[in-house]
Amino acid sequence: MAARPNTLHPERSPEEWLGNEIRQWRTLRGYGQDELGERAHLSGDLIGKMERGERRCLRHHTEALDVALDTGGALTRSLVLVYMRVAPRGGSNPAVTTPLPPSAGPLNVSAPVIVATPTGPEPGATVRPGDVAHVRSAAAVLRSWDNLHGGGGLVRETAIAQLRWAEALTSAPCSGALRPDLLTAVSRLASAAGAVLLDAGEFAEAGRHLRWATNLAEEAGDWSARAVSYNLRSRLATWCEHYDDGVTLAELGLVRSDRLSPAERAMLHNAAARGHARLGNHQAALTAIGRSDEAYAQLRAAEESRWMTYYDDAQHHGDTGHAVYDLALAGHAVDDALDRLRTAVDGHSQPFARSRTFSRTKLAGLLLVTGYPEAALPEAERAVAEVAQLRSHRASRDLQDLAKLALRYGQHTRLQGLRHQIAATVGE
């Protein structure tokens, strides 16, 4: 029998956080440590130490691992964002740091590691294409971290720091030809940061950044970035129980839908469906879900932008399933909701751990509501274990709702134990 892998603690240090990223990618690709070592021309023992945080990753390590694991450069981008050089304590701003240069070696482990970025370019400095590329990379990394770990902790701190630097770029001198690309890149980053803050439970700040993302996208004339910002603004409004606003924002995002890709249209129809479902507009919600299904049927993955590649079968069924879930609680389309949520749970891969947890928690809740507690328990217990690995306000709130649904089975011993597990996990 293969040895059980050591439990990682990514919240304890940057080394262990990055080690967890390496293990997640290695597991996703189905490699053992020795096999990955052969592919990356590193020793399996070294990979094990880096995964456990016992050995610091260097730039040439992550570059080799990115190639071997076909990550698209994700580990090297993570290295640049996680390990930051701290300014001297006697400096004018000791909290400001600068990213490691490509040739940088290991840092002084005893020095504090603060996730922050420079306040902006030097006065009078002109924005360069490399700056725009940095912002794009930061947005991509934030999205991947948010999906895997939730929006709290290190992910939140990184989002705030990167936004500070990107905001300064928008005020710096920039050529007319480059400015639309800059505005689009910063809009993407602001949307990614807004999603992080939404998941962390900081709703006012999330709304402020998402509105800024919309303004930037509209100034750039980028309909795709605009759609993403409106989708997140709609979901934020619905989460904050402003359901009518949620529908309106989704419909605003669908303006000139002929300029949007199938995935973008499906995404926005899902956001509208959630608002309608919460308002009790059952037929309107079902209509929006049908439109989402129609758009998804037209999707061709190779033709979607890099920002929409996440929208796969699992994501579509999860998003629509959450909308149908609200209908199912009122007795509508129960079987459809169960089917969609099961498809999402089974289809989400580890990089989308949080989305899988959302769908699993909803699936367990619906099984409780429909009178299948024994089927609900395994899903509920796995959801509790998954939430314990996340920093997600929304996932914790979903668990609290699940505990309330379990109250109807007051004499069920395992469900009583489940409620205690949930209370311990979410800190109540």
Side-chain angles (χ1 to χ4, degrees):
M1 179 182 297
R4 185 175 181 178
N6 294 330
T7 299
L8 302 184
H9 299 280
E11 74 283 354
R12 292 199 305 205
S13 71
E15 290 81 9
E16 290 180 89
W17 191 95
L18 188 56
N20 182 70
E21 291 293 294
I22 295 170
R23 178 181 287 184
Q24 296 290 353
W25 277 103
R26 177 175 62 78
T27 302
L28 178 65
R29 299 299 186 229
Y31 299 147
Q33 291 175 349
D34 289 339
E35 183 181 2
L36 176 57
E38 291 180 7
R39 290 173 173 270
H41 304 290
L42 303 170
S43 72
D45 180 64
L46 173 60
I47 289 173
K49 288 179 178 177
M50 289 192 296
E51 288 185 358
R52 296 189 296 273
E54 297 170 3
R55 174 74 179 271
R56 176 156 301 191
C57 245
L58 304 181
R59 179 70 174 255
H60 70 273
H61 295 148
T62 57
E63 288 175 344
L65 291 170
D66 279 329
V67 172
L69 293 167
D70 190 23
T71 70
L75 294 174
T76 299
R77 292 195 298 270
S78 298
L79 177 79
V80 171
L81 289 172
V82 172
Y83 293 150
M84 316 293 281
R85 260 192 217 287
V86 181
R89 291 187 180 277
S92 60
N93 188 353
V96 171
T97 65
T98 56
L100 287 173
S103 61
L107 297 178
N108 178 0
V109 177
S110 64
V113 179
I114 303 174
V115 182
T117 55
T119 55
E122 293 294 326
T126 300
V127 176
R128 302 165 298 173
D131 297 322
V132 176
H134 177 97
V135 176
R136 288 197 193 104
S137 294
V141 170
L142 272 185
R143 280 175 44 141
S144 66
W145 290 3
D146 189 31
N147 287 325
L148 182 59
H149 300 294
L154 178 68
V155 180
R156 176 202 175 276
E157 295 303 312
T158 303
I160 296 297
Q162 294 294 331
L163 271 178
R164 186 181 306 121
W165 190 75
E167 185 175 8
L169 279 178
T170 63
S171 301
C174 181
S175 70
L178 186 59
R179 186 160 180 79
D181 289 342
L182 171 65
L183 296 177
T184 292
V186 178
S187 175
R188 296 287 190 186
L189 179 62
S191 286
V196 165
L197 292 166
L198 164 59
D199 198 56
E202 298 183 34
F203 305 131
E205 281 296 288
R208 184 169 70 87
H209 292 304
L210 291 173
R211 288 190 295 274
W212 185 45
T214 300
N215 293 338
L216 290 166
E218 290 181 340
E219 185 179 347
D222 191 309
W223 291 88
S224 175
R226 178 183 182 276
V228 169
S229 68
Y230 267 115
N231 169 61
L232 290 166
R233 289 173 65 184
S234 172
R235 291 167 189 268
L236 172 61
T238 297
W239 181 261
C240 293
E241 300 183 359
H242 303 309
Y243 306 131
D244 200 57
D245 289 343
V247 173
T248 299
L249 288 164
E251 291 177 347
L252 285 170
L254 283 162
V255 170
R256 291 307 307 267
S257 61
D258 60 305
R259 298 188 177 186
L260 304 180
S261 74
E264 289 160 353
R265 295 198 302 273
M267 168 187 74
L268 285 160
H269 285 306
N270 293 338
R274 288 190 183 189
H276 281 304
R278 291 295 180 92
L279 285 167
N281 299 335
H282 301 142
Q283 190 53 55
L286 290 171
T287 298
I289 291 167
R291 288 173 178 163
S292 177
D293 286 340
E294 291 172 5
Y296 182 67
Q298 300 169 17
L299 188 149
R300 301 293 180 269
E303 299 173 6
E304 290 289 336
S305 73
R306 61 179 292 200
W307 301 101
M308 294 306 299
T309 54
Y310 81 96
Y311 198 90
D312 58 7
D313 200 55
Q315 187 68 38
H316 177 70
H317 283 84
D319 279 359
T320 54
H322 291 188
V324 185
Y325 170 85
D326 290 318
L327 300 179
L329 292 181
H332 303 275
V334 174
D335 289 341
D336 187 29
L338 288 171
D339 287 344
R340 290 177 188 265
L341 292 170
R342 282 196 184 100
T343 299
V345 170
D346 292 341
H348 274 305
S349 59
Q350 185 57 27
F352 297 92
R354 187 188 55 187
S355 294
R356 182 179 59 209
T357 300
F358 287 157
S359 293
R360 195 188 301 280
T361 305
K362 288 285 195 297
L363 175 60
L366 191 53
L367 288 168
L368 287 177
V369 169
T370 52
Y372 297 98
E374 297 305 323
L377 264 166
E379 300 295 349
E381 289 169 349
R382 289 190 67 181
V384 172
E386 289 172 351
V387 172
Q389 301 301 313
L390 298 171
R391 289 289 189 95
S392 171
H393 171 80
R394 289 187 297 162
S396 296
R397 279 277 302 275
D398 281 354
L399 271 191
Q400 291 169 343
D401 291 342
L402 181 62
K404 293 174 185 176
L405 293 175
L407 284 171
R408 63 185 63 196
Y409 297 93
Q411 302 306 312
H412 195 294
T413 303
R414 286 183 64 191
L415 283 173
Q416 289 179 350
L418 175 71
R419 292 199 301 274
H420 292 311
Q421 291 177 42
I422 291 174
T425 299
V426 301
E428 288 195 343

